Amino acid sequence: MDSAAGTGRRRQDEVYRAGVYGRRPLVPTAARALQRRARARLGARAYAYVAGGAGEEATQRANRAAFDRWVLVPRVLRDVSARDTSVELLGRRLPAPLLLGPVGALELVHPAADLAVARAAASLGVPMVFSNQASVPMEECAAAMDQAPHPAPRWSQLYWSTSDELVESLVGRAEASGCDALVVTLDTTMLGWRPRDLDLGHLPFALGKGIAQYTSDPVFRRLVRERAAAPAPTEPGAAARRDRQPRPTLSAVRALVGMARAWPGPLLDNLRSPLPRAAVETFLSIYSRPSITWADLAWLRARTRLPIVLKGVLHPDDARRAVDEGVDGVVVSTHGGRQVDRSIAALDALPEVVAAVGDRAPVLLDSGVRSGADVLTAVALGARAVLLGRPYAWGLALAGEEGVRQVVSDVLGEFDLTLGLTGHTAVGQLTPDVLRRVG
């Protein structure tokens, strides 16, 4: 097949040629089947954490319904034999308008976790946004990406901790890891109401999962040591409450072992040490700061040379203010429907945010993206690029690094084919005129 045929036809050719020898794709190529297969593979806690949303999950449904309200109107008799899916974003040319968004606690779905995602992303040249709640430190993921044949782009997510010193340390590590941008996530200053996790009594961070960016941080580790060395509080009734503590259970023992594994060092030493438990307690106490305001952006800008992208912007006035404050980009996002139930869908919010920002900064989108056709729809409505989340997590659950690589390759391939089949040869040709609203 012609090497200039495009990523879509090359991906099809790869699949069909393998089919001649009886080999099928590692994971389903359609999003719904992919999720069903992952659900059958994962335990209840892992699946609930990745799949779950806030409240009655109306926002999750709205994110998908928003895509269903738009249809593509293909054009014909245009030469689309050569297509260019690349875009420029924050000074770097990307192979497609696609990044892998941050997904926390990936060790729940596969032991290789973020490292497998980093390797898959690097092999395809697709940027990965390192999760602030990663299961593997950013330095290890960056080192894996640096082994790719070509420099692999990466961004870093930032949750604003109650410790500014920790924030500054995380930012410095992102710079040292070669990140191209900081993605400051604004919609998770408090955890949303997530019934699937609540009904299971499951918060991975309380078990030491998804806190590798913290346990690998020198500032955080100092705070943990200080906490462990501090005398226990002597509040009224504390002794009586200790006497009423329930007897240890198998679940409690497993939790302690999980905490010990999360802290650097030999497992047996950690099981005897107060530090792993103190690390979880320290994380839970400083994880995020609800008091963050616009004034804090100037503090951050003074401490980093990296572009700052604000994630979780849904109102056009906030988008306009962000650019006025010197922010380098915004991500229209509902956090995958995990934070505010009955929120406006991300895709519904996108056109007004794009209009508010104009050409002053790139606008990206996440939440509800499942396919290459979704990517094209979002780009036609003004997104410079989109962030993919749950689909690659399902691929990770089913087949590790290769599963992630296949999911991302499938999305890239479908985007390329949809671009050509609608009569276009470059991303810049996509405008709202490509679409019709049907609902």
Side-chain angles (χ1 to χ4, degrees):
M1 180 172 288
D2 184 359
S3 61
T7 56
R9 292 184 65 193
R10 287 198 297 273
R11 176 63 187 141
Q12 287 176 327
D13 186 56
E14 179 183 60
V15 172
Y16 292 137
R17 286 180 184 275
V20 172
Y21 297 95
R23 297 194 300 271
R24 297 182 180 182
L26 278 175
V27 302
T29 58
R32 290 180 183 176
L34 178 67
Q35 181 169 348
R36 285 195 302 270
R37 184 85 64 82
R39 182 173 189 172
R41 171 73 61 86
L42 293 172
R45 285 182 163 190
Y47 181 78
Y49 181 75
V50 179
E56 295 293 325
E57 300 186 346
T59 303
Q60 277 198 343
R61 294 191 296 274
N63 282 329
R64 286 305 307 156
F67 278 96
D68 290 339
R69 283 191 288 273
W70 292 97
V71 297
L72 297 166
V73 184
R75 302 297 302 273
V76 298
L77 293 177
R78 296 178 173 185
D79 182 357
V80 294
S81 56
R83 300 172 301 285
D84 180 6
T85 61
S86 69
V87 295
E88 185 172 339
L89 183 61
L90 298 183
R92 186 188 281 266
R93 200 74 187 172
L94 306 181
L98 183 74
L99 299 86
L100 301 191
V103 178
L106 283 173
E107 65 197 275
L108 290 172
V109 303
H110 193 278
D114 308 78
L115 198 57
V117 178
R119 288 171 174 152
S123 70
L124 298 171
V126 173
M128 174 186 180
V129 182
F130 295 153
S131 172
N132 201 105
Q133 303 312 129
S135 298
V136 179
M138 65 179 84
E139 290 82 0
E140 291 186 34
C141 291
M145 299 183 85
D146 286 340
Q147 294 175 7
H150 304 287
R154 74 293 308 249
W155 296 9
S156 185
Q157 181 192 36
L158 176 67
Y159 284 137
W160 206 297
S161 167
T162 58
S163 167
D164 284 347
E165 187 181 5
L166 176 58
V167 171
E168 193 165 2
S169 180
L170 290 168
V171 169
R173 290 171 59 198
E175 291 183 349
S177 296
C179 292
D180 289 342
L182 286 175
V183 182
V184 183
T185 299
L186 304 175
D187 52 22
T188 317
T189 56
M190 299 173 283
L191 282 180
W193 187 256
R194 302 175 185 175
R196 295 202 204 197
D197 294 333
L198 289 165
D199 289 346
L200 293 169
H202 177 236
L203 181 67
F205 317 124
L207 302 174
K209 298 182 186 297
I211 61 171
Q213 304 295 23
Y214 296 81
T215 56
S216 59
D217 191 275
V219 171
F220 181 80
R221 294 175 69 171
R222 192 199 75 224
L223 295 174
V224 170
R225 290 191 293 270
E226 291 172 356
R227 186 184 190 96
T234 56
E235 53 185 298
R241 285 195 297 274
R242 283 197 296 271
D243 291 340
R244 294 195 300 269
Q245 287 294 315
R247 297 179 64 183
T249 64
L250 182 59
S251 293
V253 172
R254 286 173 176 166
L256 289 174
V257 172
M259 293 178 196
R261 292 186 187 280
W263 187 254
L267 176 61
L268 289 178
D269 290 349
N270 287 346
L271 286 170
R272 303 185 190 101
S273 169
L275 295 178
R277 177 70 177 270
V280 171
E281 293 172 347
T282 303
F283 167 79
L284 293 175
S285 69
I286 69 172
Y287 153 69
S288 196
R289 178 155 73 88
S291 63
I292 184 174
T293 68
W294 292 104
D296 292 298
L297 293 179
W299 180 91
L300 182 61
R301 172 54 72 204
R303 283 160 177 79
T304 183
R305 56 177 175 75
L306 294 178
I308 296 173
V309 177
L310 299 186
K311 184 173 181 288
V313 176
L314 292 167
H315 197 289
D317 290 349
D318 288 341
R320 191 177 295 108
R321 173 76 180 270
V323 180
D324 289 344
E325 296 281 347
V327 164
D328 301 286
V330 299
V331 182
V332 178
S333 171
T334 66
H335 209 91
R338 294 168 63 77
Q339 282 300 97
V340 178
D341 203 21
R342 304 207 175 279
S343 164
I344 184 174
L347 193 72
D348 286 342
L350 177 64
E352 288 190 6
V353 169
V354 169
V357 171
D359 60 359
R360 296 190 293 164
V363 175
L364 289 77
L365 176 131
D366 79 12
S367 302
V369 178
R370 297 290 180 269
S371 67
D374 291 344
V375 174
L376 190 141
T377 299
V379 171
L381 287 173
R384 183 74 61 86
V386 305
L387 280 67
L388 189 70
R390 288 184 178 96
Y392 81 73
W394 303 139
L396 176 68
L398 292 171
E401 178 184 338
E402 289 300 322
V404 177
R405 184 177 294 110
Q406 186 201 303
V407 169
V408 178
S409 296
D410 291 347
V411 172
L412 293 173
E414 186 186 4
F415 175 75
D416 170 56
L417 291 171
T418 307
L419 182 73
L421 288 169
T422 55
H424 305 92
T425 58
V427 176
Q429 298 169 2
L430 300 175
T431 70
D433 291 338
V434 175
L435 306 169
R436 294 292 183 272
R437 189 178 177 96
V438 294

